[in-house]
Amino acid sequence: FNIFWAQIYHFLRWALLKLLTIDKSFKIKHNSVLFFTFYPVFWGISFHSMKNELFFKSLPEKLESNFSVYYVIWLSLRLRQILKDRNKIKNEFKNKKISPLESFLTFQDFISCFSLSISYFFRLLKFKLKLQNKIKEYYEGFDITNIILEEFNAFLVNPEVMQCVLIMKASKSLIRKTRARALIYRTEFQPHEKAILYGVKGRCLTVAFQHQAISKDHLEFFFPSIEIKQ
């Protein structure tokens, strides 16, 4: 039930942003350059202690001489902290031109996502039952079937699954409403990155900055031909 709880939490946070009008600090201009990041996770320990985002640093400021630049963030703040520090957060968003990606979601998006999760839940149960009857694995004489099944289960019921659906819907709405020139984000080959790409596909230029240690023949740089075409 992690999938359903995560959606309820995201809905409550979205509703709180609307109620406190935190999402209306300013309006993003058309044809702007947007930087996607998580807030305040990528800004330091305290949301009011960092001048710049940790990864992009001064890059947005340098681009401001030629473009209108904004941060588009996915919030990582708890509900209690949003409520407690609402004025500080609102001022921070206005001063640094930060817009919550959640604010581009609608009530219908949550209904759609919840309906999808119900279908996903039953398909997952069906898949799990089939998997239990087909998989039997041993390692060094030890039965590791249950370990494999638990790993599959933990991955498939991860709350991030439906969070990515919401990010995809919000990204699509963001680009449709702002007509952004480009969306820039850091890439670590995480699920939310694919959600962003699906959301803005064909509507906006996307620029990804690699952020992790790499080595020769790094496996994450090997893609199936069909994925490259997408």
Side-chain angles (χ1 to χ4, degrees):
F1 292 93
N2 288 344
I3 293 175
F4 298 106
W5 167 242
Q7 290 178 72
I8 293 172
Y9 185 82
H10 286 307
F11 173 76
L12 291 175
R13 192 165 60 187
W14 170 81
L16 188 58
L17 289 175
K18 295 290 183 182
L19 180 64
L20 300 177
T21 65
I22 292 177
D23 62 324
K24 296 180 180 179
S25 299
F26 60 87
K27 186 177 180 180
I28 296 178
K29 296 179 180 179
H30 288 180
N31 210 31
S32 300
V33 174
L34 309 178
F35 284 82
F36 175 82
T37 180
F38 285 86
Y39 185 96
V41 171
F42 292 164
W43 294 69
I45 298 175
S46 174
F47 68 85
H48 49 70
S49 64
M50 295 298 298
K51 291 184 178 180
N52 297 306
E53 201 266 358
L54 292 174
F55 178 69
F56 295 121
K57 297 186 182 300
S58 62
L59 178 59
E61 295 177 2
K62 293 179 180 177
L63 288 178
E64 281 187 319
S65 58
N66 296 311
F67 309 101
S68 294
V69 177
Y70 301 88
Y71 288 104
V72 177
I73 56 97
W74 189 259
L75 274 173
S76 56
L77 290 170
R78 295 182 181 276
L79 299 177
R80 183 180 298 180
Q81 188 175 2
I82 295 174
L83 188 59
K84 176 184 176 182
D85 297 319
R86 55 188 179 277
N87 291 328
K88 292 181 181 178
I89 295 171
K90 184 180 286 190
N91 290 333
E92 185 84 351
F93 283 10
K94 184 177 181 180
N95 294 335
K96 295 182 179 177
K97 296 195 293 186
I98 298 172
S99 180
L101 186 58
E102 291 98 323
S103 65
F104 291 91
L105 291 168
T106 65
F107 182 74
Q108 288 73 20
D109 288 328
F110 286 97
I111 296 297
S112 173
C113 191
F114 187 77
S115 300
L116 176 63
S117 65
I118 294 175
S119 173
Y120 179 80
F121 177 75
F122 285 107
R123 290 174 64 186
L124 183 59
L125 284 179
K126 185 178 179 180
F127 174 75
K128 189 175 180 180
L129 291 173
K130 285 185 177 180
L131 206 60
Q132 287 176 338
N133 296 326
K134 290 185 178 182
I135 286 185
K136 198 68 177 177
E137 292 294 334
Y138 294 87
Y139 178 77
E140 298 289 339
F142 294 96
D143 187 348
I144 61 170
T145 304
N146 287 337
I147 297 176
I148 294 174
L149 290 175
E150 284 301 318
E151 285 296 318
F152 268 111
N153 184 63
F155 174 76
L156 293 172
V157 300
N158 192 314
E160 193 174 8
V161 174
M162 290 304 157
Q163 174 181 287
C164 285
V165 174
L166 291 174
I167 289 177
M168 179 188 70
K169 289 179 176 293
S171 299
K172 184 177 181 180
S173 177
L174 165 72
I175 301 305
R176 185 179 69 249
K177 292 181 178 180
T178 65
R179 303 175 189 174
R181 176 188 294 266
L183 177 63
I184 302 173
Y185 65 98
R186 59 192 278 170
T187 179
E188 298 174 337
F189 300 98
Q190 299 296 325
H192 71 268
E193 297 162 16
K194 186 61 69 72
I196 292 172
L197 292 177
Y198 279 133
V200 306
K201 185 178 180 181
R203 302 177 183 87
C204 173
L205 172 68
T206 55
V207 181
F209 280 88
Q210 173 66 23
H211 181 255
Q212 71 183 94
I214 60 175
S215 60
K216 186 178 181 181
D217 299 326
H218 198 67
L219 291 178
E220 290 182 341
F221 285 104
F222 287 82
F223 303 99
S225 58
I226 187 172
E227 186 170 1
I228 295 176
K229 290 179 181 179
Q230 291 177 348

